[in-house]
Amino acid sequence: MAARTLMVQGTASHVGKSVLVTALCRLFARRGVKVAPFKAQNMSNNSFVTPDGREIGRAQAVQAAACRLAPRTDFNPVLIKPSGERTAQMVVNGQVAGQLHASDFGRIKRDHWPVVCEAFARLAGEFDLVVLEGAGSPAEINLRDRDIVNMAMAQEARAPVILAGDIDRGGVFAALVGTLALLAPEDRAHVKGFLINKFRGDADLLAPGVKMVEARCGISCLGVVPHWRDLRVPQEDSLGWEEPSSFSRSLHASPVTLHEFLTIGVVDLPAISNFTDFDALACEPDVRLVRVAGPITHRLDALIFPGTKHTADALRFVKERKLDLAARQVLEAGGTVVGLCGGFQLLGRRILDPDQVESSAVELEGLGLLNVTTSFARDKVTVGVSGRHLASGCPVEGYEVHMGRTSLEAGAVPWLEVRAPGESAVRPEGAGSEDGLVLGTYVHGLFDAPEFRRVFLNGLRERHGWAPLPVQPGTSLDERIDGLADFMAKHLDLAAIDAILERGIS
């Protein structure tokens, strides 16, 4: 018997689809339902590595955790990783499948629709319920004939659709009504209810508008979900990379005095990837994160160059914005510079691309802050790793996703050792300068390790003569997902959603 299906679509990007699917997956899993997530096509540079060394969107890995499942490629068979305004890397079934140009967007459906259908069919045969997620808006009528993720998938899965709108941006009633008005009748028939997300204020004030939408569209409102400021579930796309200050804890709850705050800058690189690498830092009580896109005018204790999908473009951006000078300014003041993945490559002396995997440049001069050289290869490294920080012995774990291979030269020393599943011995990883002020690594998720994170931060505090802080109590991803599910359960009409599931698309 094929699984039942339920789909969440939205009036636009970043209306909360991924978070809603995560919450619904956990709510159904709690009931003992064998549930799985599914997103046919994801466009995001925030990715994750599955246990078998393949790549999917980070949001689907979180949704898998909500279902208490290990991540796998069937949950997200097509991943598009933008590298520029008109170019992207295609990842199909977790492996690189070439480059995609905006002018040939239609080949996704032409070449990979069967892969999507096969992945969904496997899930439908294994699980009791599949909760699907759309992308952007189903009302992008210029793209309807090439759609594989919204209504085309709803029809393939025979899925009833819940339409979500974001009131925080304004115009939610027009967005809901307009989206439905632009759908073809056969698509509109799939939409069985709507909800309003990210509301601030008195929900009673919405009642007239909600009733008008219900009357005009012939479907019911399934909930008004308040805006949740402390949402700490990894986001899908770079729209979730908001001002880092909005992630910080209240100063009133901090155990440190105001003048003891560490200020850490994160360079706002083009095509930034895995921006969730900094979520754990932002939640520390003595840390303030700031975005850096140009010359710095205030003290930074550390400057982080994050991952990027296009290292050559990022290098050009850094030099044009004089961010290399900002890094040297931080070092001269006794601060630390860190490079993660693509950011690690930027810090080196040379970047070689003999096969022009990423750009037309065969060789580029890096920032010269680490004596390392990166060479790009055609095959991508996608692997989960665990190990330790050499100086402290603190455990670390995370995952690597990169096309480059970085070799260390005189004066650069490894500062981690890691092992991937199946490897018999640990291997050195990353590179640090001899004075320990410049650090680079390929390990995403490094700062998620509480003990290592506190060792790193206390090292910054020591330079000010401040007392070290202990490891802060935190919550696991599983606990955060439970909190999200509890929150959503208070504001969604779960009985109405159950009724929609029971009726299906009839």
Side-chain angles (χ1 to χ4, degrees):
M1 180 177 176
R4 293 187 298 170
T5 54
L6 180 68
M7 189 171 198
V8 177
Q9 296 188 21
T11 58
S13 294
H14 205 54
V15 302
K17 296 185 291 292
S18 296
V19 171
L20 287 162
V21 170
T22 300
L24 288 169
C25 283
R26 175 52 58 92
L27 288 168
F28 284 114
R30 281 177 176 174
R31 297 183 192 176
V33 176
K34 193 177 179 184
V35 57
F38 182 82
K39 185 163 185 174
Q41 171 196 301
N42 201 337
M43 182 176 286
S44 176
N45 279 329
N46 203 21
S47 64
F48 195 80
V49 174
T50 63
D52 59 351
R54 302 198 174 204
E55 192 176 9
I56 64 172
R58 179 70 184 271
Q60 281 62 62
V62 173
Q63 290 162 3
C67 299
R68 301 190 173 100
L69 300 170
R72 65 198 234 195
T73 56
D74 281 346
F75 300 153
N76 176 211
V78 176
L79 174 63
I80 302 171
K81 304 190 72 174
S83 55
E85 291 186 0
R86 300 178 63 83
T87 57
Q89 184 184 72
M90 285 279 295
V91 178
V92 179
N93 277 337
Q95 296 182 311
V96 175
Q99 295 294 310
L100 179 69
H101 299 274
S103 59
D104 196 23
F105 194 78
R107 79 177 176 88
I108 301 174
K109 186 170 187 177
R110 184 175 65 247
D111 295 347
H112 303 302
W113 176 243
V115 170
V116 168
C117 295
E118 289 164 8
F120 172 76
R122 284 190 290 270
L123 298 180
E126 181 179 346
F127 291 91
D128 302 324
L129 172 65
V130 180
V131 182
L132 298 89
E133 181 186 341
S137 165
E140 303 290 352
I141 52 179
N142 55 313
L143 300 176
R144 179 62 182 88
D145 62 332
R146 287 165 278 183
D147 171 42
I148 68 168
V149 66
N150 286 309
M151 285 302 176
M153 198 62 232
Q155 291 184 16
E156 174 69 19
R158 297 184 56 79
V161 172
I162 299 172
L163 183 65
D166 176 3
I167 196 171
D168 197 43
R169 295 184 175 187
V172 70
F173 297 126
L176 290 165
V177 174
T179 296
L180 288 163
L182 288 172
L183 295 180
E186 62 272 22
D187 291 339
R188 192 162 56 246
H190 279 264
V191 182
K192 303 301 182 182
F194 69 92
L195 61 85
I196 294 172
N197 199 16
K198 305 182 188 179
F199 179 67
R200 307 170 194 255
D202 184 353
D204 290 342
L205 297 176
L206 288 182
V210 169
K211 290 179 180 177
M212 186 175 293
V213 173
E214 288 179 328
R216 182 182 290 266
C217 299
I219 55 176
S220 297
C221 180
L222 302 173
V224 175
V225 180
H227 193 283
W228 191 2
R229 291 181 179 275
D230 195 30
L231 178 63
R232 291 180 56 209
V233 175
Q235 300 284 299
E236 174 178 87
D237 54 41
S238 59
L239 287 174
W241 170 229
E242 302 166 354
E243 289 295 333
S245 59
S246 67
F247 299 152
S248 299
R249 291 177 177 172
S250 167
L251 301 185
H252 302 294
S254 172
V256 297
T257 56
L258 183 62
H259 70 277
E260 287 190 2
F261 272 88
L262 297 168
T263 303
I264 298 177
V266 179
V267 178
D268 197 5
L269 293 177
I272 188 171
S273 64
N274 297 80
F275 59 88
T276 50
D277 282 340
F278 319 112
D279 285 358
L281 284 173
C283 292
E284 286 286 344
D286 58 337
V287 171
R288 287 182 293 198
L289 288 187
V290 295
R291 293 172 70 168
V292 177
I296 56 175
T297 57
H298 51 280
R299 176 186 62 82
L300 292 179
D301 296 288
L303 180 64
I304 300 176
F305 288 84
T308 173
K309 189 61 197 72
H310 202 298
T311 303
D313 280 356
L315 181 61
R316 185 163 43 250
F317 173 89
V318 165
K319 291 182 176 181
E320 287 175 353
R321 301 292 184 94
K322 301 188 184 305
L323 290 162
D324 52 340
L325 301 181
R328 295 181 190 281
Q329 183 179 336
V330 169
L331 293 172
E332 288 169 3
T336 295
V337 173
V338 180
L340 298 177
C341 199
F344 177 23
Q345 297 167 354
L346 296 179
L347 299 183
R349 295 193 181 280
R350 293 190 304 159
I351 299 172
L352 308 178
D353 194 356
D355 296 325
Q356 298 181 322
V357 171
E358 188 177 277
S359 73
S360 59
V362 174
E363 181 174 347
L364 293 169
E365 182 181 351
L367 304 187
L369 299 179
L370 278 174
N371 196 18
V372 300
T373 296
T374 296
S375 298
F376 279 92
R378 292 190 177 278
D379 57 317
K380 180 184 266 191
V381 174
T382 54
V383 65
V385 296
S386 60
R388 68 186 182 102
H389 175 228
L390 289 172
S392 67
C394 290
V396 297
E397 65 177 334
Y399 55 98
E400 299 181 24
V401 182
H402 52 95
M403 306 291 286
R405 276 56 164 183
T406 299
S407 58
L408 282 60
E409 298 167 19
V413 293
W415 61 293
L416 304 172
E417 63 177 18
V418 299
R419 175 166 36 203
E423 291 181 347
S424 58
V426 296
R427 55 179 168 84
E429 203 286 323
S433 58
E434 291 180 316
D435 60 9
L437 295 181
V438 185
L439 302 169
T441 178
Y442 278 115
V443 181
H444 290 292
L446 182 70
F447 290 113
D448 291 347
E451 292 179 16
F452 166 76
R453 183 171 68 247
R454 183 38 58 187
V455 164
F456 173 78
L457 295 175
N458 282 342
L460 301 181
R461 293 177 63 83
E462 185 179 1
R463 292 171 198 159
H464 292 286
W466 300 343
L469 291 184
V471 175
Q472 301 298 306
T475 54
S476 66
L477 176 61
D478 193 65
E479 290 170 320
R480 296 199 299 273
I481 291 172
D482 268 333
L484 171 66
D486 291 340
F487 176 79
M488 289 293 181
K490 294 177 183 177
H491 303 288
L492 297 179
D493 188 341
L494 296 178
I497 293 173
D498 284 340
I500 289 171
L501 259 179
E502 192 66 30
R503 290 193 301 268
I505 59 170
S506 58

